[in-house]
Amino acid sequence: MTTTSPAQPGLDSLSKSFEPAALEAHWGPEWEKRGYGIAGFRGTQQPKADAPSFAIQLPPPNVTGTLHMGHAFNQTIMDSLTRYHRMAGFNTAWIPGTDHAGIATQIVVERQLQAQNISRHDMGPTPAEARKNFVAKVWEWKEQSGNTITQQMRRMGDSVDWSREYFTMDPKLSEVVTHTFVKLYQQGLIYRGKRLVNWDPVLQSAVSDLEVESEEEDGHLWHICYPFADGPQTVDGASAQGLVVATTRPETMLGDVAVMVHPEDARYQHLIGKHVQLPLCNKTIPIIADDYVDKAFGTGVVKVTPAHDANDYAVGQRHQLPIIGILNLDATVNTHAPQPYQGLDRFAARKKVVKDLDALGLMVEIKKHKLMVPRCARTDQIVEPMLTDQWFVAMNKISDEDTTGKSIAQKAIDAVQTGQVTFIPENWVNTYNQWMNNIQDWCISRQLWWGHQIPAWYDKDGNVYVASNEAEAQAQAPGKKLKRDEDVLDTWYSSALVPFSTMGWPNKTQDYDLYLPSSVLVTGYDIIFFWVARMIMMTTHFTGKVPFKHVYIHGLVRDAQGKKMSKSEGNVLDPVDLIDGIALEPLLDKRSQGLRKPETAPLVKKNTQKEFPEGIPAYGADALRFTFAALASLGRSINFDSKRCEGYRNFCNKLWNATRFVLMNCEGQDCGLKEHTKAECQPGGPAHGYMSFSQADRWIASLLQQTEDQVAKGFADYRLDNVATAIYEFVWNEYCDWYLEIAKVQIQTGTVAQQRATRRTLIRTLEAILRLAHPIIPFITEALWQKVAPVAGIGGASVSIARYPEAQLNKIDNDAIDNVNQLKALVDACRNLRGEMGVSPATRMPLFALGNADFMRANAAVLQSLAKLSEVKVFDDQTAWQTAAQSAPVAVVGEIRLCLFMEVDIEAEKARLQKEAARLDNEITRAGVKLSNEAFVAKAPPQVIAQERQRVEEFTAMLAKVRAQLAHLEK
């Protein structure tokens, strides 16, 4: 009699091994083509009336940018949350977009022009024409190169709503920018004034605090004598020619307007109100007192230069001091300084000032000094505090028109205080409140050409007219010739409007009603002030709604050693390189270019070769995403080790191979999908019941419910690390390592009803696993679900729009869990016995067991397979068992005693055990001598001492077992 193998088209079409590239190339475009990411209910592209909403805004990456590890990490979290809620039946919207990134984009295009020896100012016969042509050039570049990051997002599998993709300079969003600016101006909350701002002399623009990175660098502290105007004075009990001031920027002394001491500093109290001569400047300046001075720092005397230091500016305001700026906008010395220094670059002026002071005998001392140097992150230029005319938003002013009676800042403080916006982890509330309660007015103007040009016009007398367009401005100034303000708005201004500008505001659209506030903002802690707080401020002010309900603050991705990833340091990883793989040579080239210190290139290459001796293998997007999810704890930083990707790539392989095994055993077979009654599946039901589920079947089904519960809690708590761990442990440790092995035996030895139940459990559990894991590893789960779902009797076009598994905790069978835990303990005991006896796992041995005979006989076939036994012999009589066991080592599991039987030469075995006992005794003595040595304990690191103590414990336990076995042989 011949039997024909069943048709298995799903298995036949599944490649023998997991190859992620082909799956990603197919499914990414396919999801997008089908419109599954479009906002609405489970891929229908329309909202469902009674469904809850889940919305999320992508922090818009710079249009100039490429995907870095921070983006990839952030987007993995957002996509996992979005896919989960889409499958869970929410009206789901993930809104993508890119930021015009004023400074970064202008720099990129200017550098392209510089390569052709062209300045932006050369691009037209008049400044207006040059600006118009330059902006057109930037738009041209944006169209050609600006979509790099969105293509890379697609590589990560991000299921955003591409139909709602925005660019912050799009006409609709730009209208909102203008509308809000005009409105704030009319409310008296936007004003223009001369203030001290961070100034980049190369950009010749104000830059925000975010664009300034202060790093410790080697510098000097120059101690300069400022002679007393009235001749020598007594200082600290001795006659002194003048006051000695310490400064890290001697060139700024040309703009000094006072020297300052602490009002309670006994050394100088009698000098307050007197004057000193300002060296090199032929004028005198007063000695003033202010408790800002640190008496213990330097000489306790500081110079006051209000135009060139933020703290000095505040002092100048308090004491009504003049403000003398001595630098032009390009950081050359201006005409307010003495003639010999005019026109010099600031650092050339520094050298000359130091040289001239030395010649006058006024340079008291020069010390090496570590100092924090503020540099523009975009140009690497040292930033100067500069007094310039800028536009500001008043943070703490209450508009006369505002019916709430609250300032913009207060509304944002209240939104968090009342719980309308919550932070996860909640400790970030303190950071937010600290900044908000001490907030300064927001400088929103930038001296650039690329960006939203400020909607303000001036007449020849300097009167300002703010309006939505030039015609409206002209209507305010009939008959006057107007010129538009050349400045553009800070990029963060338009970004702050994104929660509502992307939802059709000021119109009340369906999106506005459904998706504002969004559910959660996922972002790093580094932009709490610059973006998170400003979104809350602007959204609450203009809409009366909060922008989002939760702010999930994740850590920043660092390298494996915990260092900040930086292209200029040569330690960045490109997410796409981790997906596709990269050979060593191109990786070395990539990492050694664009370094802050080019001379470090050999060291960068050496470190790279050490970390990636063969380059980076192709892990695929799923393995990378799983790694990010597993690292998504609530900590401040994430140390990314690419070796973790290897482990999750292995997980994907395991899942792939498990699917092939399940399809091999289930596709084309009876998997118990016919309608049936509950009674037909009960243990002890009809003898020829439709299905007979084993304890192992009920155990894996119970663990699935527990895992589904843990996963739901992980998503609710924004703990993707817990989601990833729960899925990994269930799939690898329980389903693959245990249940598949048990199922093999049940299919080989079971009745038709038992086989049917096993197949149903195999395929249905696997199908649920694929839905459960889909939000984190979308590509592999989609590819496998397409083959598995039909065999499991599950319909649907895609796992991405299938129903997400929900735990049914009433289905948990604790007896089945206890049963399989006992079985696992028996298998582990057999493996341990084999190890103690030094017998290879390949050698099959008989197991002799005593106790719980019914359990042992019921599980004999499974135990024999899992523990690799030649047979399982169950004894009812202790004497018979002892006689059979002879001298074999014994293990006790609960009430069951068992041994692996092997004929042994008793004398030879005793000799072996005595030798092993002596070795262990010797090891314990050696470790004990170390630990009793006071010098060793005092000097050794704590982990070394702990290791030695652990060794003693382990050797002692092993010795006890060996001696017990010897005693058994000597009976």
Side-chain angles (χ1 to χ4, degrees), residues 663-683:
L663 289 174
M664 208 178 292
N665 284 280
C666 296
E667 192 175 19
Q669 304 280 1
D670 183 353
C671 293
L673 302 180
K674 181 174 76 69
E675 267 192 52
H676 55 276
T677 66
K678 201 170 182 182
E680 288 180 285
C681 300
Q682 289 298 318

Side-chain angles (χ1 to χ4, degrees), residues 469-498:
N469 53 53
E470 189 168 1
E472 286 184 15
Q474 197 68 66
Q476 295 177 36
K480 294 185 178 181
K481 187 177 180 183
L482 300 182
K483 184 186 178 192
R484 187 166 185 177
D485 194 309
E486 293 187 357
D487 288 357
V488 298
L489 284 163
D490 173 18
T491 303
W492 294 103
Y493 182 91
S494 50
S495 298
L497 311 177
V498 156

Side-chain angles (χ1 to χ4, degrees), residues 505-775:
W505 185 89
N507 301 315
K508 289 292 183 76
T509 63
Q510 186 182 54
D511 280 2
Y512 180 88
D513 291 334
L514 271 177
Y515 304 125
L516 182 72
S518 60
S519 308
V520 60
L521 177 75
V522 181
T523 189
Y525 62 79
D526 53 336
I527 56 172
I528 288 178
F529 311 138
F530 307 104
W531 193 45
V532 179
R534 286 167 179 170
M535 281 191 286
I536 298 174
M537 287 190 274
M538 296 299 256
T539 309
T540 53
H541 182 72
F542 282 106
T543 72
K545 295 185 180 190
V546 293
F548 27 71
K549 296 169 189 170
H550 304 296
V551 182
Y552 168 38
I553 302 289
H554 58 68
L556 303 185
V557 182
R558 300 181 180 275
D559 70 9
Q561 287 72 46
K563 293 177 186 166
K564 182 181 176 182
M565 284 194 184
S566 164
K567 190 171 182 182
S568 63
E569 298 299 327
N571 66 338
V572 295
L573 283 169
D574 182 337
V576 177
D577 288 343
L578 290 159
I579 294 171
D580 292 341
I582 184 171
L584 179 61
E585 284 306 316
L587 179 62
L588 293 175
D589 290 344
K590 202 170 184 177
R591 281 191 145 193
S592 56
Q593 288 176 8
L595 297 173
R596 186 161 58 90
K597 296 178 181 174
E599 64 272 18
T600 62
L603 181 61
V604 167
K605 287 186 174 183
K606 184 182 175 184
N607 291 340
T608 300
Q609 193 154 8
K610 185 179 177 184
E611 192 173 358
F612 306 105
E614 296 172 12
I616 299 173
Y619 295 117
D622 287 322
L624 178 59
R625 288 171 61 113
F626 210 145
T627 307
F628 279 133
L631 292 169
S633 65
L634 299 180
R636 272 198 166 216
S637 61
I638 292 99
N639 293 357
F640 188 89
D641 186 347
S642 63
K643 293 182 181 67
R644 292 284 295 268
C645 288
E646 191 176 333
Y648 293 113
R649 164 73 198 242
N650 292 342
F651 175 89
C652 292
N653 273 326
K654 189 101 166 173
L655 186 57
W656 190 271
N657 293 335
T659 301
R660 287 187 56 80
F661 168 80
V662 173
L663 289 174
M664 208 178 292
N665 284 280
C666 296
E667 192 175 19
Q669 304 280 1
D670 183 353
C671 293
L673 302 180
K674 181 174 76 69
E675 267 192 52
H676 55 276
T677 66
K678 201 170 182 182
E680 288 180 285
C681 300
Q682 289 298 318
H688 300 289
Y690 179 57
M691 276 187 287
S692 177
F693 289 98
S694 70
Q695 293 281 48
D697 298 332
R698 297 177 187 282
W699 161 77
I700 199 67
S702 299
L703 261 53
L704 176 62
Q705 304 312 314
Q706 291 178 343
T707 303
E708 287 171 358
D709 187 49
Q710 290 166 2
V711 166
K713 188 174 188 312
F715 276 120
D717 295 341
Y718 301 106
R719 290 297 303 269
L720 253 70
D721 53 336
N722 293 346
V723 171
T725 300
I727 291 171
Y728 185 97
E729 289 184 352
F730 174 72
V731 174
W732 188 298
N733 298 340
E734 309 298 352
Y735 184 74
C736 292
D737 279 3
W738 288 99
Y739 183 68
L740 294 191
E741 297 302 318
I742 294 170
K744 278 183 197 173
V745 180
Q746 292 182 169
I747 288 173
Q748 288 165 2
T749 63
T751 65
V752 171
Q754 288 169 338
Q755 290 174 337
R756 193 179 283 132
T758 299
R759 288 195 181 99
R760 181 185 173 93
T761 306
L762 270 174
I763 196 74
R764 281 291 179 89
T765 305
L766 177 59
E767 189 276 334
I769 284 169
L770 296 173
R771 282 185 286 131
L772 198 65
H774 177 74

Side-chain angles (χ1 to χ4, degrees), residues 55-59 78 94-95 166 498-499 502-503 518 520-521 531:
I56 196 163
Q57 286 273 358
L58 175 80
M78 285 187 282
W94 183 12
I95 311 298
Y166 66 84
V498 156
T502 58
M503 294 295 158
S518 60
V520 60
L521 177 75
W531 193 45

Side-chain angles (χ1 to χ4, degrees), residues 121-132:
H121 300 282
D122 302 331
M123 294 191 71
T126 65
E129 281 293 310
R131 179 175 187 146
K132 182 181 172 185

Side-chain angles (χ1 to χ4, degrees), residues 836 887 906-920 959 961-967 969:
E836 283 176 32
S887 58
I906 291 178
E907 291 307 315
E909 182 65 6
K910 280 163 67 176
R912 185 186 74 80
L913 290 170
Q914 285 164 352
K915 187 176 177 183
E916 178 65 3
R919 183 187 74 80
L920 291 168
L959 182 59
K961 283 189 175 183
V962 170
R963 284 177 174 160
Q965 189 59 25
L966 265 171
L969 291 176

Side-chain angles (χ1 to χ4, degrees), residues 433-460:
N433 286 337
Q434 172 70 23
W435 190 67
M436 289 299 302
N437 287 319
N438 295 282
I439 197 165
Q440 303 296 310
D441 286 356
W442 172 17
C443 175
I444 54 171
S445 47
R446 298 289 179 266
Q447 290 63 52
L448 304 170
W449 284 1
W450 173 243
H452 294 103
Q453 194 168 352
I454 286 174
W457 286 260
Y458 303 93
D459 62 23
K460 64 180 177 58

